[in-house]
Amino acid sequence: MAVQTVASATDSTVDLGPAAALSCRECGHRVPLGPVFACEECFGPLEIAYDFSAYDTEELRKQIEAGPANIWRYAPLLPVPADVATKPNINPGWTKLVKADNLARELGVTGGLYVKDDSGNPTHSFKDRVVAQAVEAARAFGYTTLSCSSTGNLAGAVGAAAARAGFRSCVFIPHDLEQGKIVMAAIYGGELVGIEGNYDDVNRFCSELIGDPAGEGWGFVNVNLRPYYAEGSKTLAYEICEQLGWRIPDQLVIPIASGSQLTKIDKGLQELIKLGLVEDKPYKIFGAQAEGCSPVSVAYKEGHDVVRPQKPNTIAKSLAIGNPADGPYVLDIARRTGGAVEDVTDEQVVDAIKLLARTEGIFAETAGGVTVGVTKKLIENGLIDPAKSVVVLNTGDGLKTLDAVAGTGLTATIRPNLESFREAGLA
Amino acid sequence: MAVQTVASATDSTVDLGPAAALSCRECGHRVPLGPVFACEECFGPLEIAYDFSAYDTEELRKQIEAGPANIWRYAPLLPVPADVATKPNINPGWTKLVKADNLARELGVTGGLYVKDDSGNPTHSFKDRVVAQAVEAARAFGYTTLSCSSTGNLAGAVGAAAARAGFRSCVFIPHDLEQGKIVMAAIYGGELVGIEGNYDDVNRFCSELIGDPAGEGWGFVNVNLRPYYAEGSKTLAYEICEQLGWRIPDQLVIPIASGSQLTKIDKGLQELIKLGLVEDKPYKIFGAQAEGCSPVSVAYKEGHDVVRPQKPNTIAKSLAIGNPADGPYVLDIARRTGGAVEDVTDEQVVDAIKLLARTEGIFAETAGGVTVGVTKKLIENGLIDPAKSVVVLNTGDGLKTLDAVAGTGLTATIRPNLESFREAGLA
């Protein structure tokens, strides 16, 4: 099937479960399911429109609770065939929702503080959730190669999922990436192509490839498969609510890179309400950025509806998108729900990584430092109510961003005897 | 409570669930539960003796299946109080049992090949299972500091668990460890003490500290808490069988460091049989070592009952114990069950890491390269029957041993245009 950037031809025979069509987020124009991502009418982003009308709430709840311990327990709510759990895939999700009582004490939260710890996914970041969706879309559209541009988590997630699911993979990265990151992406044995240029050059090249016959049969997980891929983030909302006993938390703190994750979590919560799986109650969504890449936070604070692009300069590289596509939607959601968007300095990010590790034994990626740091700041400035429940997302693993905390070291060095031990004051 | 190396005084009031006493593995001498690890009669290792007599098989199965998605679903079979799941702990386990169909095809296995992937644990190694048990024992005995000597996985597991469970931690490591490993251990904020000396010096110092008043109130997870700690490995047997639909696999391939994990998995399987939770059927246990540290493998092949110590020299550092305490028990089990002990070269370890990543999208630690490599070798030499089911353990995460596969890199480097892409033969 040829790659298309704008919907026109489609394949109405694909079975992606409850996914009924693609619908433009801006103008509502609907097109049949296909490997397209931009509206032919207004160039707005296409999203999945579902038909959930056949579901009985209690039947659905029972089906989910009896499902597998991964995202496929929510297959009835995702653009995947009903038998998805039997197909080879990386099967992410159902990660721990940690009741963070020690951290709550430090931050003065009395209403219940939870960390949704997505470092428990197969390649240790939330990207496994979205890539697993893209795999099923790629299968439905007959693609044979999975691809993406990446500087980190996404490369590993695509490589691993393609290996398991039986796709060829071809991942494009800047050629001068750190050796550790290259190993993490290369180990899965797919094509790993270094591009002589920076990340912008890599992206530009990928866009060229999508429009060329050479890209035929290629699913770029976050480009031509983006409407499907993005839905993976909804599963974070589903899991959080189910793990809380089918309740929506009062407040959620979510990192912002492109902003897609935050908007899809909101979409997931709205779906659960409409389906009757959770009580309809107010909730506040807070977006978290690093100061060195804070276009949405700046727009929020200045009261703008549009997001002015920034040139990123932060240690939180997995969030370093200077021109976030879903920025305006994030602003809408923060304002609609009574939340906010806030940012923290790199120093606060490092402090927050250490705080989370010291209190809860969770070693987060820099993105987790951003959300924990922002949570602390929002409590201090009164925007988060500590008497109500808070869920903070950790979307990645500290082992992947060791450089950010490289200063952490030995607390003492002693000779191997008790005298030296006592001298060091350790007894 | 003072630290003891040999049982005499004990605390008969501790509530550790079904754990009834400590029993010597050599002479069967029983002593009450306490922080002791060596028999006062013969200096043999003490193990937990249970009272499972009150259990109804089907009630127990239902209770387990309704339990939490971590090792505490097996609380009725572990030395922990019945309400353990409500206490702060790291809650490891219930990791994925991956049906490895791609790897099976490569290795010619037709009877079902599975990878038990313990990289999904909180600090990404099986050590979280054993440390979580030690935490509950430490709590029962009134300890306030958790400690260990370590050069890797154990340091992180102890640091994380102590942070969550509210213990002080003090971990001893050789002072000249690689910076990355120091960061992984230091991030949890406990005391991390570098000892001027090698790993043997660290261990010798720890033994001194246990016998000194300065060590009062200290639980060394793998020394004075070892009988409790070691039981954590049983949960691997429980999970594998439950995840296979309460069936024992025909063949298991398990790495050997001290040999404790292998012996406890065998103990777990025997318990499941006695409890009626699985059918009593033959199974074969295979031990896996790296050639550069293969004392048990050498003893097995030479037909010895005793294990001659070796000086380790292998990239599989998490298995590099030259004088494995449970070596003789491993030999017994391999022979009793009709299994074997085998070893592979470091080159084969690296090849096996890449094979597993390329076929199943699982990036294993060197220890996982050892088990996969040994599985391949045992199939080739006819000791593993490919027509019967095989479960291979991956006990750790490739992100922690990146150096071992540092040669893995880009498959191509191109300029950011289609012409260069075509020249590289990627289309």
Side-chain angles (χ1 to χ4, degrees), chain A residues 99-113:
Chain A
K99 186 137 196 294
D101 290 340
N102 300 328
L103 181 61
R105 266 190 298 275
E106 294 249 356
L107 299 183
V109 175
T110 56
L113 176 62

Side-chain angles (χ1 to χ4, degrees), chain A residues 92-305:
Chain A
W94 205 239
T95 56
K96 290 181 196 299
L97 182 73
V98 175
K99 186 137 196 294
D101 290 340
N102 300 328
L103 181 61
R105 266 190 298 275
E106 294 249 356
L107 299 183
V109 175
T110 56
L113 176 62
Y114 301 83
V115 176
K116 179 63 175 171
D117 186 11
D118 248 16
S119 69
N121 277 317
T123 71
H124 306 319
S125 91
F126 98 98
K127 290 290 184 189
D128 290 323
R129 295 179 185 271
V130 286
V131 169
Q133 301 291 329
V135 163
E136 295 309 320
R139 215 190 305 267
F141 298 135
Y143 288 142
T144 51
T145 298
L146 280 186
S147 187
C148 70
S149 56
S150 172
T151 62
N153 285 328
L154 188 56
V158 167
R164 177 81 59 80
F167 288 78
R168 176 175 178 255
S169 72
C170 187
V171 169
F172 298 97
I173 60 174
H175 72 118
D176 56 356
L177 225 54
E178 303 94 301
Q179 179 58 21
K181 288 195 176 165
I182 290 179
V183 172
M184 289 182 217
I187 195 69
Y188 303 103
E191 301 284 350
L192 183 69
V193 179
I195 300 275
E196 290 172 1
N198 59 25
Y199 187 60
D200 286 339
D201 295 318
V202 178
N203 271 325
R204 208 162 21 239
F205 168 73
C206 287
S207 303
E208 231 186 303
L209 184 54
I210 289 175
D212 189 87
E216 203 161 320
W218 289 46
F220 284 81
V221 298
N222 56 350
V223 187
N224 54 345
L225 299 177
R226 188 170 186 85
Y228 310 90
Y229 166 92
E231 294 294 287
S233 291
K234 289 196 314 180
T235 59
L236 280 162
Y238 302 156
E239 290 182 17
I240 289 166
C241 291
E242 184 179 352
Q243 288 170 323
L244 289 173
W246 295 108
R247 283 189 308 112
I248 299 180
D250 297 317
Q251 303 162 106
L252 298 100
V253 185
I254 304 168
I256 301 170
S258 72
S260 167
Q261 182 181 66
L262 187 147
T263 62
K264 294 299 178 181
I265 289 175
D266 180 58
K267 188 183 183 200
L269 296 175
Q270 291 297 319
E271 287 174 353
L272 293 182
I273 291 170
K274 279 186 204 118
L275 287 160
L277 287 167
V278 296
E279 194 192 335
D280 187 1
K281 62 165 279 269
Y283 59 86
K284 295 184 178 185
I285 288 188
F286 298 87
Q289 297 206 293
E291 189 183 85
C293 183
S294 54
V296 188
S297 170
V298 167
Y300 175 82
K301 291 178 188 175
E302 292 180 351
H304 293 160
D305 290 330

